[in-house]
Amino acid sequence: MTRLFNDPDDFAADSAAGFVAASARWVRPVTGGVVRSTRGAEPTVSVVIGGGSGHYPAFAGLVGPGLAHGAVMGNLFASPSAHQVHSVATAAHEGRGVLLSYGNYAGDVLHFTQAQERLRSAGVDCRTVTVTDDISSAPASEREKRRGIAGDLVVFKIAGAAAEAGHDLDDVERLAIAANDRTRSLGVAFSGCTLPGADEPLFTVPEGRMAVGLGIHGEPGIDEVDVPTAAGLAQLFVESLLEEIPDGAAREGARVVPILNGLGSVKYEELYVVYAEVDRLLAEAGITVVSPEVGEFCTSFDMAGVSLTLLWLDDELEELWLAACDTPAFRRGAVEGRIAVDTVAAEEEEFVIGPATDESRGAAQTIGRAISAMAAMLDAEAEELGRIDRIAGDGDHGIGMQRGSRAAAAAAEEAVAGGAGARTTLHHAGDAWADKGGGTSGAIWGEMLVALGMALGDDAEVDADAVGAGVARMKDAVMSFGKATVGDKTMIDAIVPFADRLTERLEAGDELVAAWTDAARLATEAAEATANLTAKLGRARSHGDKSLGTPDPGAVSFALITHTVLDILKGDD
């Protein structure tokens, strides 16, 4: 378990503050993460990496000359928001374009893509390479759906070395893609990890058993077997990874970088016992080992687990892998000619409250009460939502919704106190939810609140028709943003029937409370019915039928929110 913390909600921020204080030689803080505290004599392409906190040295520990230019630091096991990504990328940009790289998780993809679009609209050439090294998370025919685990290090290192060598953005992108294409990983776990302040781990493994194909966010494994000997584990790793030789690579005479990664509580001595057999098995297969790495490169708090990554080299990738770099957690050779940069942190964007009508300000007060009630409800339901999510996901849905709604409630309260209208209040609350909630749910709820605000405006009366139009716009926004459809076992399965029924009842002439009551009932029924579905998107997708019999946590939390808002509407009726 995680023992040392202050307020669990502040753990990520407290850890980041300590990291920055201890690592000023390499990094300086900016909103959303860290960037290099030095620069070279000439500007380079900027490599910006990131993801949720809880995986050190990924991601902030890999910022420095020869590797990343900046790291975006989300909350614990939660993707950073688009605002955080944009902030770090802007601070890291040296004028030659930005490459974003991160593990292939739905929330990260949503937030980083939003930030990329914003950077491009500002004239910054920005590209993305997602890491997809985990062979257990999808078949070879669907490599684009695989997760990124410890292979992150390979892609980041190759991209950073290419940038340091002066390559342009086209080349840095090409080489990062090549590194990802030639990297394969497999992980196992002997026990789950426990987030700060939590009473139990995100998942458990029976005594004497081992989960195979784990994720790094507390997702359970794809399979479960008896714990083997160290030699048996090495054999499982090597045989599994050698079943899938990357295109363009040959097994006989290949040159390969093995990376044996400890996930948090497996001791280095144990790793070396495993690595001895990995090295022997690779040699028996006619493979030449180049610059092996054994240690902790992508962790998961106190998880007892191990992963093996193989990078299949060509001449170009080998030169870049061996190139010098200097970061807090990964160093090779000597990097010279660095110049200190201004260490003043970037200023926060000022929150501006524009003009609003009295009617819209009144609606904003109701919105503020509704979001506060949502936060109180989600606080009470966080444990149960987490329990549902642990069945086939990573168990953090309750925590993410709790953090996001708390931040949204505080932001809405600030906006209302400043005289904001409905649009501005919802926009401020949506940004705060995305920032603090993180993950897929944070991104989606942020989009939903902003979409609702755009429909309501700051200069009009908020009547039943406006609310109906706003909810329809929320539905359209989340379907467009998340790319899910009804039947994929996501929140879509609850919001679509809710929004459609609300529209139907309002168009039939029902009062708002009556229409909302019926729609909320239908949302609850739809959420419960997701128990009969198999997940097709998100982290639960990798675990197939494990989700059968359990409703989708996103659909459940949405249905609960509709009833909470209904209570506020009844009170104002």
Side-chain angles (χ1 to χ4, degrees), residues 350-377:
E350 183 181 357
F351 173 49
V352 178
I353 296 178
T357 62
D358 290 341
E359 292 84 357
S360 189
R361 290 194 184 99
Q365 292 177 1
T366 300
I367 289 166
R369 290 196 297 275
I371 296 177
S372 292
M374 287 161 53
M377 180 275 294

Side-chain angles (χ1 to χ4, degrees), residues 125-398:
D125 192 353
C126 184
R127 319 281 179 84
T128 292
V129 175
T130 56
V131 183
T132 57
D133 59 307
D134 178 17
I135 66 169
S136 70
S137 53
S141 59
E142 298 180 330
R143 280 194 56 237
E144 73 283 355
K145 295 181 179 179
R146 286 178 171 175
R147 305 177 291 205
I149 51 176
D152 283 353
L153 173 63
V154 170
V155 179
F156 302 163
K157 174 63 174 70
I158 297 298
E164 193 75 19
H167 290 273
D168 62 17
L169 184 56
D170 287 341
D171 243 11
V172 173
E173 178 187 31
R174 174 184 64 81
L175 288 160
I177 291 172
N180 184 60
D181 287 345
R182 283 175 164 260
T183 301
R184 303 287 187 275
S185 299
L186 177 64
V188 301
F190 313 105
S191 70
C193 57
T194 306
L195 295 178
D199 295 327
E200 57 185 28
L202 293 176
F203 73 94
T204 59
V205 181
E207 187 70 25
R209 301 282 283 175
M210 176 179 77
V212 180
L214 77 154
I216 59 170
H217 299 89
E219 304 98 322
I222 306 301
D223 194 11
E224 193 178 280
V225 299
D226 289 338
V227 175
T229 62
L233 177 58
Q235 184 174 8
L236 170 67
F237 279 151
V238 173
E239 288 183 353
S240 299
L241 293 175
L242 292 188
E243 286 179 0
E244 189 180 317
I245 309 298
D247 292 342
R251 176 166 171 167
E252 287 297 324
R255 295 174 64 79
V256 170
V257 176
I259 302 172
L260 191 64
N261 173 63
L263 278 141
S265 64
V266 175
K267 304 302 294 181
Y268 273 61
E269 288 87 349
E270 294 175 272
L271 295 176
Y272 284 121
V273 173
V274 175
Y275 183 73
E277 188 68 10
V278 168
D279 186 77
R280 186 186 70 79
L281 291 170
L282 290 174
E284 280 187 357
I287 293 170
T288 299
V289 167
V290 177
S291 186
E293 296 286 348
V294 178
E296 293 182 343
F297 307 101
C298 187
T299 61
S300 191
F301 274 107
D302 60 328
M303 183 186 289
V306 186
S307 65
L308 178 65
T309 298
L310 296 182
L311 163 61
W312 298 77
L313 295 170
D314 59 20
D315 291 344
E316 199 170 23
L317 293 180
E318 182 168 354
E319 180 180 355
L320 294 169
W321 177 254
L322 297 176
C325 63
D326 183 19
T327 75
F330 193 80
R331 302 167 205 170
R332 175 171 290 140
V335 178
E336 300 177 347
R338 307 303 299 177
I339 304 168
V341 299
D342 184 7
T343 58
V344 177
E347 294 183 3
E348 294 276 358
E349 294 181 13
E350 183 181 357
F351 173 49
V352 178
I353 296 178
T357 62
D358 290 341
E359 292 84 357
S360 189
R361 290 194 184 99
Q365 292 177 1
T366 300
I367 289 166
R369 290 196 297 275
I371 296 177
S372 292
M374 287 161 53
M377 180 275 294
L378 289 167
D379 190 59
E381 296 290 338
E383 183 175 346
E384 174 61 12
L385 291 171
R387 184 195 69 79
I388 296 172
D389 194 30
R390 280 195 294 273
I391 302 298
D394 56 12
D396 68 350
H397 181 74

Side-chain angles (χ1 to χ4, degrees), residues 512-514 516-518 520 561-571:
L512 178 59
V513 169
W516 195 286
T517 299
D518 189 34
I561 285 171
T562 64
H563 287 280
T564 300
V565 174
L566 177 60
D567 290 338
I568 299 300
L569 295 176
K570 287 179 176 178

